[in-house]
Amino acid sequence: VSAFLLNRSSDLVVYDIVYLGNSLPKLQGGFNLTFNYGNWKLIARFTYRWGNKIFNQARMNLESMISTNNQAASVNSRWRKDGDETIIPRALYNMGYNYQASSRYVEDGSFLRMQSDTIGYSLPEKLIEKVNLSKVRFYVTGTNLFCLTKYSGYDPEVDTRRATPLTPGVDYSAYPKSIGFVAG
């Protein structure tokens, strides 16, 4: 992710490229934790990503203040008069100055997600031998139960279907992963 800054010093025009980060993570992966206690078993599966940046296009759309469309609550703390200290610029109806891409919308995309969590109970063998079974197990699995991140968007795993090779790591406000449960 980089931005071009235009600096005008007298008649000299200089274009600077400012490095704002990379959409590719420095580290990503997953791990499992398994706990057994008697006939109980807990399996937790985690995925993580660290060291990547996301351009929050969805936030830029919600803070543009360019039209009468609904805006994010954060624009209520926009600049209004001299002396105001805020990172949200003033509202300019029908002008594109607030809708320009800037480093303000580049965020850390690191996260730790509990991908799935399964808790199960196996009936004692002595109990099920009487009905001529070798094993009976009851379980409940939850998926996408939580995601720890500082990212302000819906989901730090941004939608890659709308991204192009020129726009990886751009959040276009896709639906976040749903929480699900299965029992058996």
Side-chain angles (χ1 to χ4, degrees), residues 84-135:
D84 286 349
E85 291 185 22
T86 179
I87 63 165
I88 309 289
R90 67 183 173 153
L92 295 171
Y93 178 73
N94 214 15
M95 300 178 102
Y97 302 117
N98 294 336
Y99 194 68
Q100 293 177 349
S102 75
S103 60
R104 191 168 72 130
Y105 303 110
V106 177
E107 301 181 34
D108 181 15
S110 302
F111 68 89
L112 172 67
R113 179 187 307 276
M114 180 180 266
Q115 196 74 28
S116 66
D117 189 17
T118 301
I119 186 164
Y121 179 76
S122 296
L123 291 177
E125 290 180 16
K126 291 180 181 180
L127 184 65
I128 60 174
E129 284 176 347
K130 297 174 184 175
V131 289
N132 211 15
L133 295 173
S134 60
K135 188 169 189 170

Side-chain angles (χ1 to χ4, degrees), residues 31 33 35 42-48 111-118 142-148 157 177-179:
F31 59 92
L33 299 173
F35 301 99
L42 174 71
I43 303 169
R45 182 174 172 237
F46 295 88
T47 57
Y48 62 89
F111 68 89
L112 172 67
R113 179 187 307 276
M114 180 180 266
Q115 196 74 28
S116 66
D117 189 17
T118 301
T143 57
N144 300 315
L145 297 178
F146 67 84
C147 183
L148 302 175
E157 289 186 274
K177 295 178 184 281
S178 61
I179 296 173

Side-chain angles (χ1 to χ4, degrees), residues 12-23:
L12 179 65
V13 177
V14 179
Y15 292 93
D16 294 329
I17 297 176
V18 177
Y19 180 75
L20 299 176
N22 194 331
S23 63

